[in-house]
Amino acid sequence: MASRIRSLVCRECGTEIDVAATHVCDLCFGPLDVRYDYREVARRISREAIDRGPQSIWRYRDLLPVDLDASDDEGPVTLGEGFTPLVHAPQLGEELGLRNLYIKNDTMNPTNSFKDRVVSVATSWARRNGFDTIACASTGNLANAVAAYAARAGMPGYVFIPANLEAGKIAPTAVFKPTMVRIDGNYDDVNRLCSELADLVDWAFCNINIRPFYSEGSKTLTYETAEQLGWRLPDEIIIPIASGCQFVKHNKAARELIDLGLVSGDGARMPRLSGAQALGCSPVATAFQQGETHIVPVKPDTIAKSIAIGNPSDGSYVVQIARATGGVVDSVTEEEILEGIELLARTEGIFTETAGGVTVGVLAKLARSGRWRGDETVVAYVTGHGLKTAEVMTGRSTLADPIPPTVRAFHERFSQAVEERGPAITPVRGVTGGRRR
Ligand SMILES: *Cc1c(COP(=O)(O)O)cnc(C)c1O
Ligand SMILES: [Zn+2]
């Protein structure tokens, strides 16, 4: 059988090289992407074949860079990542004037963030290609996923994190017993150190030497969105930006779905791809707004730590793709991030971390600025769970003092609130404050 996975190709100069654990072009230092033989992919893939696949990212295996065909294959390293709910959001939509608004709820992944998609692909690729150690530079969620998938694969895991990471992200990573390397510095320092180490040790660093394979896992978010919309691409997608890696891959995923004929009718058009950043770390939004492509690095200062990358490697590609598809890149303040978290929770019952607050915050800001007529299909990618950054909500809701455990006390305190909210409690005889006819 011919191989589906053809080569690595430089995004800048187009040079093609054999598949290997490397991520930059030798000639121009451009980033490398996996290139498939799409005739071979087309021969295998169909809506029906996908439908028969597992309820995970691996239903799209024909568009992922891991060769699972060999008879001795032990299969992918999986915890059931992906195929997360695409939730119609009528109440949030009502507040924002959007009738066809959807939340792609990626908080529902095994370690509660979108990173499980990329790490499942990275770990599977590393195991098949002879690596025995898996590592990463992380702002938190990636460390969490690498720790879990290393455990699942039975491989040692090394996670490099900034020392000031949220407590909510430490314990759920430490429990998998990886080697945790805390660095005195921010994420950009951690990333620089790992780039140096990647040249010295024979490890698979998910987001460094094996980044071309790792990043392909992001595409599944867009494949799923199209499949769950009935094999249609939406009109616009709002995507949080850290390095910009997943944003670029959603562009590739949409193109693939169109070119392979998997989407049809109105749903076979390129969606507008729009990006969301926190104002405290918004180098991509700044470049977009100034009409630049070059990204000027910043020092991050925001509660949205999981997407606080001051020197985003794919930033300039994000700007180009946003422009080419008719999207925008915008940012929100710290207060707007918190309001975004509360807005999504109050209207649709979904609790997201600060990165999701950024996405919903930008969605709300764009909606209120009159960006949409109201009938467009808009999807917001909500990529991490609220329990990961729960401490930012401390003090946002005031708790009433406790009451004694008696019906009387409950009535005294709450009967007015209950009446205001409509249908009153059934009158209770002999209880002060009960309703009488
Ligand atoms: C990593 C991450 C992203 C996106 O990261 P990119 O580097 O831009 O691909 C978005 N949301 C969350 C919660 C993340 O952890
Ligand atoms: Zn090149």
Side-chain angles (χ1 to χ4, degrees):
M1 204 182 275
S3 175
R4 269 182 316 116
I5 306 153
R6 199 167 95 176
S7 60
L8 294 178
V9 59
C10 173
R11 209 183 285 170
E12 286 297 323
C13 73
T15 299
E16 257 184 283
I17 63 165
D18 287 344
V19 169
T22 178
H23 72 302
V24 286
C25 173
D26 277 345
L27 299 180
C28 76
F29 300 106
L32 300 173
D33 291 306
V34 174
R35 176 173 284 177
Y36 300 91
D37 178 345
Y38 285 109
R39 265 184 318 196
E40 188 56 32
V41 173
R43 232 173 42 73
R44 303 173 187 216
I45 209 167
S46 65
R47 292 181 184 179
E48 295 69 34
I50 292 168
D51 191 47
R52 281 194 303 270
Q55 302 256 311
S56 76
I57 63 167
W58 295 100
R59 66 201 280 105
Y60 310 106
R61 57 191 280 168
D62 292 329
L63 286 163
L64 294 174
V66 185
D67 208 342
L68 297 170
D69 295 331
S71 55
D72 63 342
D73 193 77
E74 40 194 339
V77 182
T78 179
L79 291 164
E81 54 292 324
F83 221 65
T84 56
L86 180 73
V87 184
H88 183 219
Q91 283 138 187
L92 178 57
E94 166 114 51
E95 295 215 8
L96 300 180
L98 281 168
R99 287 187 290 289
N100 301 306
L101 175 63
Y102 292 82
I103 300 298
K104 182 62 172 161
N105 186 3
D106 240 24
T107 72
M108 301 284 279
N109 274 307
T111 73
N112 305 104
S113 91
F114 128 95
K115 290 297 193 297
D116 294 325
R117 299 173 181 276
V118 277
V119 171
S120 176
V121 173
T123 314
S124 302
W125 190 90
R127 188 164 75 177
R128 275 204 73 80
N129 287 273
F131 285 90
D132 56 16
T133 301
I134 188 108
C136 69
S138 176
T139 54
N141 288 331
L142 181 55
N144 201 175
V146 164
Y149 283 81
R152 180 72 174 161
M155 292 162 88
Y158 283 79
V159 303
F160 294 75
I161 50 175
N164 72 349
L165 212 61
E166 300 99 321
K169 286 189 177 150
I170 305 260
T173 299
V175 73
F176 299 111
K177 305 295 176 200
T179 303
M180 295 178 74
V181 186
R182 294 171 69 221
I183 306 294
D184 235 340
N186 63 23
Y187 172 78
D188 295 288
D189 299 319
V190 175
N191 193 48
R192 203 172 332 106
L193 168 64
C194 286
S195 297
E196 284 174 40
L197 283 173
D199 289 336
L200 302 174
V201 295
D202 197 15
W203 296 350
F205 278 88
C206 287
N207 50 345
I208 301 176
N209 54 339
I210 68 163
R211 189 177 181 85
F213 313 100
Y214 157 89
S215 59
E216 285 286 294
S218 310
K219 298 188 302 179
T220 56
L221 198 44
T222 290
Y223 300 151
E224 285 171 21
T225 298
E227 181 178 357
Q228 289 167 325
L229 286 172
W231 290 112
R232 288 170 38 240
L233 285 160
D235 295 307
E236 183 151 351
I237 307 177
I238 316 293
I239 302 160
I241 297 165
S243 69
C245 178
Q246 68 154 311
F247 190 101
V248 170
K249 293 296 169 170
H250 297 316
N251 184 59
K252 182 177 183 185
R255 269 261 66 88
E256 288 173 334
L257 291 176
I258 294 168
D259 292 347
L260 289 164
L262 288 167
V263 282
S264 47
D266 275 1
R269 285 192 301 240
M270 227 15 232
R272 295 175 178 179
L273 299 181
S274 288
Q277 293 204 294
L279 187 60
C281 183
S282 52
V284 186
T286 303
F288 181 88
Q289 277 146 22
Q290 295 179 345
E292 297 285 337
T293 314
H294 177 70
I295 306 292
V296 180
V298 300
K299 220 179 161 69
D301 180 17
T302 171
I303 53 171
K305 293 206 177 93
S306 61
I307 54 170
I309 297 186
N311 189 10
S313 53
D314 282 317
S316 61
Y317 301 108
V318 170
V319 172
Q320 291 170 44
I321 291 166
R323 283 201 192 110
T325 60
V328 294
V329 185
D330 211 336
S331 62
V332 282
T333 63
E334 302 290 283
E335 177 58 25
E336 287 170 320
I337 295 170
L338 295 169
E339 286 169 8
I341 293 173
E342 288 171 338
L343 177 62
L344 181 62
R346 173 171 62 75
T347 55
E348 301 296 346
I350 297 170
F351 183 26
T352 182
E353 66 151 284
T354 46
V358 170
T359 307
V360 174
V362 166
L363 168 76
K365 183 175 171 185
L366 294 176
R368 287 167 187 150
S369 76
R371 178 165 177 81
W372 296 294
R373 292 186 309 269
D375 59 351
E376 297 91 339
T377 301
V378 176
V379 179
Y381 287 173
V382 168
T383 48
H385 199 284
L387 290 175
K388 285 175 175 276
T389 60
E391 65 272 19
V392 300
M393 305 314 290
T394 309
R396 296 285 295 183
S397 309
T398 40
L399 287 182
D401 291 335
I403 57 170
T406 65
V407 173
R408 174 184 298 264
F410 173 72
H411 261 272
E412 277 170 12
R413 180 74 69 76
F414 289 99
S415 57
Q416 200 186 337
V418 170
E419 278 185 29
E420 278 166 9
R421 279 211 168 190
I425 341 177
T426 315
V428 183
R429 211 171 321 168
V431 175
T432 320
R435 264 215 199 161
R436 301 255 154 72
R437 278 173 213 272

